[in-house]
Amino acid sequence: MKRIYLLFVALVCVLAVSAQPGNFVKWSYTVNETGNDNIYNIIFDAVIDSPWHMYDLGPYEDGPNATAFEFEKNDNYRLTDGIRHNIEPKKINDPIFMMELGYFASKASFVQTVEVLSQDDFILTVTVEYQLCDDQSCLMPTEYEFEIPLKGTGKTVDVVENEEDNSEDFAEAVIPADEKKNSGSVVARVSEPNSEPEITVYDTGEALKGSFWTLIISAILWGFAALLTPCVFPMVPMTVSYFLKYSEKKNRGKFGAILYGIFIVALYTIPIGAIILITYFAGGKTVTADIFNWLATHWLPNVLFFIIFLLFAASFFGAFELRMPGKLINKSDSKADRGGVGGIFFMALTLVLVSFSCTGPIVGSILISATQGEIWEPVLAMFVFSAAFALPFSLLAVFPSFIGKLPKSGGWLNSVKIVLGFIEIALAFKFLSVADQTYHWGLLDREIYLSIWITVFALLGFYFLGKLRFAHDSEVKHIGVFRLTLSIITFSFVVYMVPGLWGAPLKGLSGYLPPIHTQDFRIGSNTQASESTVMMSAKYSDFLSLPAGINGFFDYEEALEYSRKVKKPLFIDFTGHGCVNCREMEAKVLSDQRIINLLNEEFVVVAIYTDDRKELPQKEWVTTEEGKILKTLGKVNSHLANNKYGVGALPYYVIIDGSENIIAPPMGYNLSIPAFIEFLESGKKNYK
């Protein structure tokens, strides 16, 4: 029996390996006109997954399996020149086969010239056989079959096919140009005789997005930080003792502890989810996105959050104490004593209400940072935060023996509260900075913002050293290793920020600082070399800017017209003043000199700010399909981004040609410079 089982496992492994090559290569083809009647170049492209490579056409006698194409024989066409490489393969002297071999590592391309002889439509069937190898082994040779429709009239349907049927990445039918923005798929192409060369139109549904792990990790850390506040930490032993007395039955007590954690998560998450669902069903995703966009960029909520965070900081410093209404807390607490599932729920509600003065500003920070992405991200952020917050309560209630290992309440809890107060001040000015940038007030330029942060964190460093004391602090006669370590980290952060006062880019903080163009003085620069040198006549260039010396525009139609004039592809940067990821992309990716050179020399660039509050002249107002009048630059740009290009989150980068066809897969937040260069090179190559 054991042998039969091993034989079965071996057979499964063999079948899995034999099925692998198709998963590691994606084939497509393009039919191009040559300028001569009925003569076309058929280009076969392969995208090869790492670490595999494919051999070139060879042939290799007593060597590896070279890539080979077989064309179905019939009288409808004639091959000329033979199959050949469209890009040059890499060469290597292989010590195993003892010969020079050619191979393709990530991309392969082959071309065959075909003369159509038939006046009737026909399908040209082509089979390619190829083998994939890595540094250690080779997979079995694999075949892939193309079916290429050709017309004898001189009109060819130019279709891009994918290896997998019903793929979301490639289409198999012709879609009219005026329908492509809503098609949700790649548009097939039609090439007419003597027409412009073909254009690849890519999906605008979901751009390549950066990882949301930053949001997850920050929410988890905030959840654990909230646990260490003086509003919450003393309730841990009280909660544990409640569940120890909850029932004489041990299993029932554990069930209640787990249910308690679930209720905490629900109380934080369900209200946010309900708000999003109500707005979504009332007005659709656009309305929900508009609400979060308003929260993230409008001056009123940002200034309000600025004031609230300063008040919370003052409360943390001991100026006064913020509490939920005592009547509400007492009513919830009295119902918690009745036991059962209802009692557990009100116990959780009591914890949420009592801890509000410490968790409120933390929750606000998480929600605001989450509004920069998709509409579901605030729900996700709240779920992760509350799960991290509730987990220790449930675990300690299930395993009460660990309660004795926790540190005792004392002055250190107040120190945690003071540290959070300093952080609240720093976050408060981030909100004010967003409003300042969005409305162009000019109140909080980069050097002023940095000066405030340097001062705040320097004071925090002195607090760790015991040089500052607040009302409820215990006297610090000496500091331990932990506080010394925190002070070293804090002062190192301060020293890192200081050169920013004279123009250092500070890429590690790029998402949280005002743009560098708001800085008045930079050492070694008596010009605006580090800023954009936009066209002098560009609209909105008096209050908008591009990063890192990139030239460009800020109005879509103006940039599109110019790109048609100079016959260059148009690079669209959908961005926003309040977009943290946009600033990070500008500082860490768009500032790379290779990318700057590519954008300035090979593209026309336009920055589309989707949150700018500049009111436009009445003649530039836009009326939506629902009859809503859009009056500000940000709303008009946001409407363009959502309806024309399906933009759901910032940043979002699109490359189009003069006919507004997307000629490279759109890219979102991605800090990989090589990936961004490849994105630009793809757009440059596909532009005709």
Side-chain angles (χ1 to χ4, degrees), residues 502-535:
W502 292 276
L506 303 183
K507 293 184 178 182
L509 290 174
S510 53
Y512 300 92
L513 300 178
I516 197 165
H517 70 81
T518 65
Q519 189 142 346
D520 296 327
F521 175 69
R522 277 161 285 167
I523 285 181
S525 176
N526 55 6
T527 65
Q528 299 296 322
S530 62
E531 298 177 19
S532 61
T533 48
V534 298
M535 307 301 175

Side-chain angles (χ1 to χ4, degrees), residues 108 111 164 226 241 267 463 484 536 608 682-683:
V111 61
E164 299 177 3
S241 62
L267 287 168
Y463 179 77
L484 177 63
M536 294 301 294
I608 303 297
S682 174

Side-chain angles (χ1 to χ4, degrees), residues 11-27:
L11 179 60
V12 170
C13 293
V14 169
L15 291 175
V17 171
S18 66
Q20 281 181 341
N23 296 329
F24 297 138
V25 178
K26 288 188 177 181
W27 286 95

Side-chain angles (χ1 to χ4, degrees), residues 105 196 205 477 663:
E196 293 295 325
K477 296 181 179 179
I663 56 176

